[in-house]
Amino acid sequence: MCGICGWIDFDRNLGGPDTRREIADMTATMAYRGPDDGGTWIDGPAALGHRRLAIIDIEGGRQPMTLQEDGRPALVLVYTGETYNYRELRQRLAALGHRFDTSSDTEVVLHAHREWGHSDPRIAVSELNGMFAYALWDSVKRELLLIRDRLGIKPLYYYPTGHGVLFGSEPKAILANRLAERAMDAEGLRRTLCYFADPYSTVFRGMCEVRPGHIVRVTRDGIQQMSYWQLIDSGHTDDVPSTVRRVRELLEDTIQRQLIADVPLSTLLSGGLDSSAMTALAARFSDERIRSFALDFVGYTDNFTPGPACGTPDGPYVQDVAKFVGTDHTDITLSADELMDPNVRAATLHARDLPLTMGDLDSSLYLLFRAVRQHSTVALSGEAADELFGGYRFFNDPARVQADRFPWFEISDGIALQSLDSGLVEKLDLPGYLDEQYRRALAEVPALTGPASADPHERRMREICYLFLTRYLPPLLDRKDRLSMALGLEVRVPYCDHRLVEYVFGTPWAHKTFDRREKSLLRAAIADLLPQSVVRRVKSAYPAIQDPTYDRMLRARFTALLNDRNAAVAPLLSVDGSRALLNANDNLRGVEHILTLQDFLTDYNVSLTV
């Protein structure tokens, strides 16, 4: 796992001292993503930068990596991520006459493009099984390709300029170049307030995100986007027992592939079905005893208060799994003081590059990753299983399912509208924005075929599943990547294996709920691997701290902000509405949102125009 960046300018030579310094500055912003090594490659109109976190072939996988032709670099690659089937691809390419100088997956990707991608890059990238984002410069064609994995696990941004493009794994790499403007407009503010509606745009004016499953081609003639993968209707014909067996087969194969690493590996264990199944399979196939880590809060289990999304504390179930499976387990216990530590909150903002927050959920995840990184360089996560198998309570809430909008989003959900100036709220028209994004997403949903297509509920659930996989999941994957890579920790997500996603997405909703519970297929596929307490456990959300000390500290900081007339966010706020928000007991997530927006505007020196 690494960080990449670059600069293409078809009207100038980027080899001068000033431009070399700028590409070095851009590359330096990615140092925490790649603490082990770094490098740049500059030739004429192209400048590529790379920072490396060494996972596979520690000595041989240095980048930027070139493929020579007639004594000159023909293809130059900067790559981040993992290609899990690189060994099979290497064998196929070797049989076709390719010769390799390293044992890294990066070199396999480079040769795959030489062999299969010369006429159409979609052919080459479709061969890859993994999580990745990379840039490939063809010095013969004078063409740059920006390529992102199918589900959007690894981030990749670009910024069109007058004569080319800037790109980077994170916005901060692009913003390190003087050509990039630090500006946010009304569209960026809408994205800030409703980021689970349109995860493919950015908050910075003029900056774009490479969509999952897409390639961006940059030439002197302009910028072109093309899709190489999308969710389709598979015409599923397997019965429930056959479907359960196939899910198990795919999970076993995926976990085995994702255990490959030349560095210490662990799992993130919550005691829920997803992470427990993943941990059990990892323990079964690993050559060494698996280390597992779980998050906890001071006094959380003893003082736990159940809620609609979180009915049971994780701790007892985590211990059940660790004992049943036999992991080398560690609990990471956090306090309110740690979550409100200004340095931690600044670190999470810097990691995400966005005025987006999940409050203590971000801080706790960052601190969990920091603790894990002291022991492991790679961790497996259960992210995406809820979106794939139907784990969230929204899937089984008839009112939410039938409502003609995103099922997870109410206009009042955590976006602090009441704290904003009424004129601004009217101008932003968030209900209209959400409806536009919702209609756009629905237009992408592949039509249901086969016997299930006659059932209106099946058709609607196909839409719901698509919305969760393409709109709800990407921000969560981005959050996990940013907060982990800020600490040089690679987090892998087995439930995002595209073969598993394709297969499960294609199954009828009746299959996914055949036992009248959430995640029926997953539960049936792995029930023999886990203690019955976990098999029977109802879905419980990622834990939020329940210590009243945290709420008091949050309110105190928000009060101080409201009293600061020079605050960057002050022109956006309604004082009366903000004080009403502060006094509400059920919407502190909105308070977190405003505080993070203030920090973002200040720390990033962003010009806001709405």
Side-chain angles (χ1 to χ4, degrees):
M1 202 80 78
C2 312
I4 66 173
C5 63
W7 183 3
I8 305 297
D9 191 321
F10 292 104
D11 277 8
R12 64 190 298 190
N13 186 333
L14 297 179
D18 290 342
T19 50
R20 284 182 177 273
R21 188 160 43 248
E22 283 198 88
I23 193 65
D25 290 343
M26 293 172 68
T27 305
T29 67
M30 298 287 96
Y32 62 79
R33 291 186 71 94
D36 298 326
D37 196 12
T40 60
W41 181 91
I42 303 173
D43 184 37
L48 308 182
H50 186 266
R51 290 293 314 189
R52 186 182 183 211
L53 176 64
I55 303 294
I56 295 174
D57 189 4
I58 307 299
E59 300 299 326
R62 299 191 67 185
Q63 299 183 50
M65 188 174 287
T66 62
L67 190 61
Q68 301 286 320
E69 191 173 280
D70 298 328
R72 285 183 52 80
L75 296 177
V76 187
L77 178 66
V78 284
Y79 172 92
T80 174
E82 304 293 344
T83 298
Y84 301 121
N85 65 333
Y86 79 98
R87 291 174 174 173
E88 300 99 298
L89 294 178
R90 181 188 175 99
Q91 291 178 346
R92 289 171 55 193
L93 289 164
L96 293 170
H98 291 257
R99 297 293 175 262
F100 296 88
D101 298 320
T102 76
S103 58
S104 71
D105 59 339
T106 303
E107 190 179 16
V108 171
V109 173
L110 196 54
H111 282 266
H113 274 276
R114 168 53 71 210
E115 178 65 33
W116 299 308
H118 187 71
S119 60
D120 187 344
R122 291 173 293 189
I123 299 174
V125 70
S126 294
E127 294 283 351
L128 309 182
N129 176 311
M131 57 176 188
F132 47 79
Y134 58 95
L136 183 70
W137 171 250
D138 189 321
S139 60
V140 177
K141 294 181 179 179
R142 285 291 199 264
E143 170 184 278
L144 176 75
L145 300 177
L146 300 174
I147 301 173
R148 193 174 180 199
D149 65 63
R150 295 167 178 84
L151 273 296
I153 305 167
K154 304 309 297 176
L156 186 54
Y157 296 85
Y158 65 101
Y159 188 98
T161 63
H163 307 290
V165 73
L166 306 169
F167 69 88
S169 292
E170 298 179 3
K172 63 173 61 69
I174 294 171
L175 295 173
N177 190 294
R178 55 189 163 81
L179 296 179
E181 184 182 15
R182 294 172 178 260
M184 186 166 70
D185 55 19
E187 192 66 19
L189 192 53
R190 291 187 187 98
R191 158 78 162 126
T192 298
L193 297 172
C194 307
Y195 76 113
F196 278 101
D198 179 18
Y200 308 131
S201 63
T202 76
V203 301
F204 293 103
R205 186 170 61 209
M207 192 179 295
C208 308
E209 186 171 354
V210 179
R211 290 176 65 97
H214 278 67
I215 300 171
V216 173
R217 173 184 275 138
V218 183
T219 67
R220 179 178 287 276
D221 295 330
I223 297 177
Q224 172 194 6
Q225 296 187 55
M226 64 181 86
S227 170
Y228 70 86
W229 182 86
Q230 57 190 352
L231 289 167
I232 61 173
D233 181 74
S234 61
H236 192 86
T237 57
D238 293 347
D239 61 14
V240 169
S242 299
T243 301
V244 169
R245 285 194 297 273
R246 181 57 179 157
V247 167
R248 175 64 172 263
E249 291 169 358
L250 287 168
L251 283 172
E252 290 185 348
D253 182 71
T254 297
I255 295 295
Q256 289 181 79
R257 289 177 183 272
Q258 297 197 20
L259 288 174
I260 298 173
D262 296 331
V263 292
L265 180 146
S266 61
T267 69
L268 305 176
L269 177 60
S270 71
L273 192 67
D274 319 332
S275 65
S276 299
M278 175 194 69
T279 298
L281 285 170
R284 169 171 290 196
F285 294 117
S286 176
D287 294 331
E288 301 177 352
R289 188 183 181 194
I290 283 289
R291 292 203 65 152
S292 60
F293 294 87
L295 174 68
D296 200 359
F297 301 106
V298 174
Y300 185 79
T301 299
D302 293 338
N303 302 308
F304 179 78
T305 301
C310 194
T312 52
D314 289 342
Y317 299 94
V318 167
Q319 298 306 318
D320 286 352
V321 175
K323 187 179 299 184
F324 190 88
V325 173
T327 68
D328 179 6
H329 183 73
T330 302
D331 286 323
I332 308 301
T333 304
L334 306 176
S335 68
D337 286 338
E338 289 176 289
L339 296 179
M340 282 299 292
D341 182 341
N343 293 325
V344 171
R345 296 176 75 85
T348 60
L349 175 65
H350 181 73
R352 299 198 68 182
D353 275 350
L354 298 167
L356 311 174
T357 184
M358 297 179 75
D360 63 289
L361 305 187
D362 281 358
S363 300
S364 63
L365 191 61
Y366 176 86
L367 291 169
L368 171 64
F369 288 156
R370 188 172 72 178
V372 172
R373 184 62 177 89
Q374 296 175 16
H375 307 278
S376 299
T377 310
V378 176
L380 302 188
S381 165
E383 197 83 81
D386 285 313
E387 292 81 2
L388 183 59
F389 289 99
Y392 295 117
R393 68 184 191 278
F394 304 126
F395 282 98
N396 297 297
D397 182 335
R400 293 268 188 162
V401 168
Q402 295 306 319
D404 194 22
R405 59 176 181 267
F406 291 116
W408 57 83
F409 205 100
E410 296 284 356
I411 195 61
S412 59
D413 284 352
I415 62 173
L417 275 187
Q418 69 189 93
S419 66
L420 300 180
D421 176 79
S422 59
L424 175 62
V425 172
E426 182 178 357
K427 181 175 182 178
L428 293 177
D429 184 22
L430 295 184
Y433 171 78
L434 286 170
D435 186 67
E436 177 186 355
Q437 298 303 323
Y438 173 70
R439 303 295 164 196
R440 184 178 300 174
L442 284 188
E444 301 170 3
V445 180
L448 189 63
T449 61
S453 63
D455 185 341
H457 185 63
E458 284 284 354
R459 294 199 299 270
R460 179 55 177 166
M461 294 312 298
R462 164 60 62 86
E463 294 176 341
I464 296 294
C465 291
Y466 185 90
L467 293 175
F468 269 97
L469 285 169
T470 64
R471 297 310 192 271
Y472 195 84
L473 177 61
L476 298 179
L477 294 175
D478 183 77
R479 167 177 172 259
K480 187 174 293 291
D481 172 87
R482 302 297 193 85
L483 296 178
S484 61
M485 291 304 296
L487 297 154
L489 176 69
E490 173 178 294
V491 175
R492 299 176 178 178
V493 278
Y495 292 107
C496 283
D497 183 282
H498 73 274
R499 301 165 304 159
L500 179 65
V501 172
E502 289 170 350
Y503 185 76
V504 176
F505 176 74
T507 61
W509 183 249
H511 281 32
K512 294 186 177 79
T513 54
F514 74 87
D515 64 357
R516 297 186 179 182
R517 289 198 58 187
E518 79 285 355
K519 293 186 281 197
S520 303
L521 290 176
L522 178 60
R523 181 176 291 100
I526 51 77
D528 62 303
L529 300 173
L530 300 173
Q532 282 302 301
S533 61
V534 174
V535 174
R536 293 191 300 264
R537 188 187 184 193
V538 175
K539 160 71 182 175
S540 194
Y542 181 89
I545 190 168
Q546 296 186 348
D547 187 341
T549 303
Y550 181 83
D551 289 359
R552 288 195 296 270
M553 296 170 73
L554 197 63
R555 293 176 191 277
R557 185 163 178 242
F558 193 62
T559 299
L561 174 66
L562 295 181
N563 292 331
D564 182 1
R565 295 182 179 180
N566 295 318
V569 78
L572 305 179
L573 298 182
S574 160
V575 175
D576 291 341
S578 296
R579 295 198 184 282
L581 176 67
L582 182 63
N583 294 326
N585 293 320
D586 59 350
N587 198 14
L588 283 182
R589 192 67 68 219
V591 169
E592 297 266 24
H593 229 133
I594 297 300
L595 289 172
T596 302
L597 181 57
Q598 163 66 21
D599 292 342
F600 175 77
L601 295 175
T602 303
D603 295 354
Y604 280 73
N605 193 27
V606 175
S607 171
L608 176 61
T609 305
V610 292

